[in-house]
Amino acid sequence: MALISLTPVLLAGFLCLYAMLCGIDVYACLLDGARKGLSLAQELLPALILLFAAIYSFRASGFTDYLAALSAPLLRRLGVPPETSLLMLLRPLSGSAAMAISTELMQRYGADSLIGRTAAVMIGSSETTFYVLAVYGAAAGIRRTRWIIPAALCADLVCFLSSAWICRLLWT
Amino acid sequence: MTGVLITILFLLSMYFSALSGHTVQAGGAVLDGAQDGLRFCLSITGALCFWCALMELMDRIGLSARLADALRPLLRRLFPLAAVHPETLAALSENVSANLLGLGNAATPAGIRAARGIARLGETGFDELGRLVVLNTASLQLLPGTIIALRAAAGAAAPYDVMGAVWLSSLLSVFAGLGAAAFFRRLWR
């Protein structure tokens, strides 16, 4: 666990050393990357502001509590924290919405709580399924998707269940 | 997609806050949310830039190209028809290796090139096209930089300690996706 916390330092050290030995201008390359990160954040900012606004009001309206209460019996039996129900519902539809919800969950219950960790693992091990489907469908000219959507949603379902189970196994 | 989603979210919160009498809270929460969205985005920007810088370095030293070479034998098995064309195989391995390294900006163009290559096979290539899409809708990331940034921003004691769990869960979901693809494919005929 101590070593895994050192990941970024180890990675940075070895990558810089290797790149230097290859004769690459390390600093210029790092700056390029950081600049890309900055423009990514800039792209993300308006979307995040709007989605946070929508999701906060959604939470305050009492719907998420209702949704959690409604799905709690089933989710508890499956070993999934009911608080993550909205996250699981919206994860395949919007990446920024999922980020907003999981941040809210981490702030409310703590980043190191079981709910906070489960939320992090859930979004870390899944993708914005419908966005990917739309991009690839349009690019490859897929007219009839047939079994692609059910199979992709199966992967999401397994991802959510296994995230919840692994987290419960490791951190309770 | 997100436009529809945001509309539904606002309409539902309108309806439910009226129903549950939480109108004041919901009205205030909108602005709190906007403020927190800004704060949150700023709080992850530093970590995001750091990861992007490392990824740029990985890309520049040819790590993704080497990973792509290592992946070829595996991809030949998973996409036997598409792998006959060297260009498509190259795009496929580029797509998967970029996904593994979390280089989303490189993964999508390569994936699209691969998808177009497979689509040229016509009806016979549909299975492999579907497999490629399912592989891309399941996450393959080895370095979940965004999650680590999220956890660090939320004050986690050790933001990295979820990495093993993310790998295992990703792996399981990839297998589940490919398994489901094989299963539903038979069902559809």
Side-chain angles (χ1 to χ4, degrees), chain A residues 2-165:
Chain A
L3 200 64
I4 223 169
S5 294
L6 208 62
T7 312
V9 186
L10 287 174
L11 211 60
F14 284 123
L15 284 175
C16 287
L17 182 68
Y18 187 81
M20 214 171 250
L21 293 175
C22 290
I24 292 169
D25 186 349
V26 175
Y27 188 52
C29 182
L30 286 173
L31 277 180
D32 273 352
R35 214 167 276 132
K36 278 184 192 165
L38 204 58
S39 64
L40 183 66
Q42 195 192 344
E43 248 169 64
L44 224 54
L45 181 62
L48 283 175
I49 289 179
L50 291 172
L51 281 160
F52 265 71
I55 281 159
Y56 272 43
S57 78
F58 193 55
R59 277 215 69 120
S61 76
F63 180 77
T64 44
D65 299 327
Y66 174 72
L67 184 72
L70 199 72
S71 56
L74 178 69
L75 290 179
R76 282 236 174 73
R77 190 160 298 173
L78 288 171
V80 180
E83 289 82 357
T84 57
S85 52
L86 185 66
L87 178 64
M88 291 189 281
L89 197 65
L90 298 188
R91 176 71 185 106
L93 298 171
S94 163
S96 353
M99 260 162 102
I101 298 163
S102 55
T103 303
E104 210 259 352
L105 286 175
M106 282 186 224
Q107 272 166 2
R108 176 175 298 224
Y109 300 101
D112 287 328
S113 66
L114 183 61
I115 296 169
R117 284 180 197 274
T118 307
V121 175
M122 274 177 179
I123 57 169
S125 53
S126 58
E127 270 287 341
T128 314
T129 303
F130 285 99
Y131 171 75
V132 176
L133 280 169
V135 168
Y136 280 81
I142 307 174
R143 277 192 203 85
R144 290 171 53 228
T145 58
R146 279 177 262 184
W147 48 265
I148 297 180
I149 293 176
L153 290 179
C154 255
D156 283 341
L157 185 67
V158 168
C159 164
F160 296 148
L161 288 176
S162 62
S163 301
W165 292 339

Side-chain angles (χ1 to χ4, degrees), chain A residues 8 36 56 111-112 146 163, chain B residues 36 56 116 123 151 157 160 169:
Chain A
K36 278 184 192 165
Y56 272 43
D112 287 328
R146 279 177 262 184
S163 301
Chain B
D36 269 10
E56 185 76 16
R116 288 208 174 123
E123 196 60 18
R151 274 175 56 71
Y160 300 88
S169 179

